[in-house]
Amino acid sequence: MLMRGVLNRQQALLFDIDGTLADTDALHLEAFNAVFGPYGHVFDRARAARELLGRSNASIGAEFLPNEPPERRAAIMAEKEAVFRSLAAGAVQPLPGLMALLDRAAAASIPVVAVTNAPRANAELILEGLRITGRFSAVIIGDELPHGKPHPLPYLEGLRAAGAVPDRAIAFEDSRAGITAATAAGLVTVGMRTNLAHDALIAAGASLTAAAFDEPEVLALVAATLEGD
């Protein structure tokens, strides 16, 4: 077992934020429809899970606003994120079992890192809303890197920030793009069933799926990966 108070720099837990730490994707859907509706795009949750969630704002803007100049695309995406933040302020709740898992990591001095394609303002709002900002040793933002998810670079940066190696770390994700990024970085990945069903998450590359962080399979994986010899 890991010793309390000893920093285990080879191990880490890495979390996506939206749809993983908290089920915020219905709020994103509402914001997308409010801002993208005038441009002829209307999304239901299934379409959003297929075409939007987990992707970088740059790639979304390029696909759905191809006739807008880059500066206008960026402004439209910024408007969407502002609408999302207004909806999410004070309205986010952690997925079941999250706090206990973070407590377990803290007790073992295992670094915890957030890895997201969301803008930093969104990430900070959600972490602050959940009152877990101080739990994370780093917050990696895909749009601040040369490549966001589904490229593995955000997770490679997360591992670097934690001083961790892939085979002693676990990623938690809810989107196809996120799972693709995490598995390409060599991480065993848990697919959280907030938007996609079990089969879709497994097809994307998740090793197992869960609706909560305290499900037996998740706890067994944590024990085997982080606490095994």
Side-chain angles (χ1 to χ4, degrees), residues 1-226:
M1 294 292 291
L2 296 172
M3 295 177 63
R4 181 186 297 272
V6 176
L7 184 62
N8 296 284
R9 292 295 293 173
Q10 288 190 318
Q11 294 108 320
L13 298 178
L14 299 97
F15 295 86
D16 176 50
I17 294 181
D18 285 298
T20 300
L21 298 179
D23 187 359
T24 56
D25 292 328
L27 302 177
H28 278 289
L29 177 61
E30 185 175 350
F32 269 117
N33 283 333
V35 175
F36 277 47
Y39 298 90
H41 301 295
V42 178
F43 301 91
D44 59 17
R45 193 146 182 170
R47 185 186 177 197
R50 290 194 309 271
E51 300 180 18
L52 297 176
L53 301 180
R55 295 177 58 187
S56 69
N57 278 352
S59 68
I60 292 171
E63 179 171 347
F64 293 100
L65 304 166
N67 297 322
E68 301 291 338
E71 297 82 1
R72 180 60 184 154
R73 286 181 199 165
I76 294 168
M77 294 307 303
E79 180 185 359
K80 176 265 163 182
E81 299 302 354
V83 172
F84 166 76
R85 288 192 294 273
S86 71
L87 295 169
V92 293
Q93 297 293 327
L95 258 63
L98 173 64
M99 296 308 187
L101 180 57
L102 294 179
D103 287 343
R104 182 173 182 175
S109 296
I110 295 170
V112 176
V113 175
V115 181
T116 180
N117 272 350
R120 186 166 292 276
N122 290 26
E124 291 174 351
L125 180 143
I126 294 171
L127 295 178
E128 291 168 5
L130 297 175
R131 299 183 179 180
I132 57 174
T133 301
R135 304 284 194 117
F136 288 81
S137 60
V139 179
I140 306 300
I141 305 295
D143 277 352
E144 296 176 0
L145 300 172
H147 303 285
K149 304 174 191 178
H151 195 280
L153 182 59
Y155 274 102
L156 294 173
E157 284 296 299
L159 289 167
R160 184 190 61 78
V165 295
D167 61 354
R168 299 302 301 275
I170 303 171
F172 296 88
E173 272 285 354
D174 74 308
S175 70
R176 292 180 179 88
I179 293 169
T180 298
T183 56
L187 288 154
V188 61
T189 305
V190 177
M192 304 305 294
R193 296 193 303 271
T194 49
N195 287 288
L196 298 176
H198 170 85
D199 288 349
L201 292 165
I202 294 297
S207 297
L208 61 93
T209 77
F213 290 100
D214 52 4
E215 292 185 9
E217 279 191 293
V218 175
L219 298 179
L221 178 64
V222 170
T225 304
L226 302 185

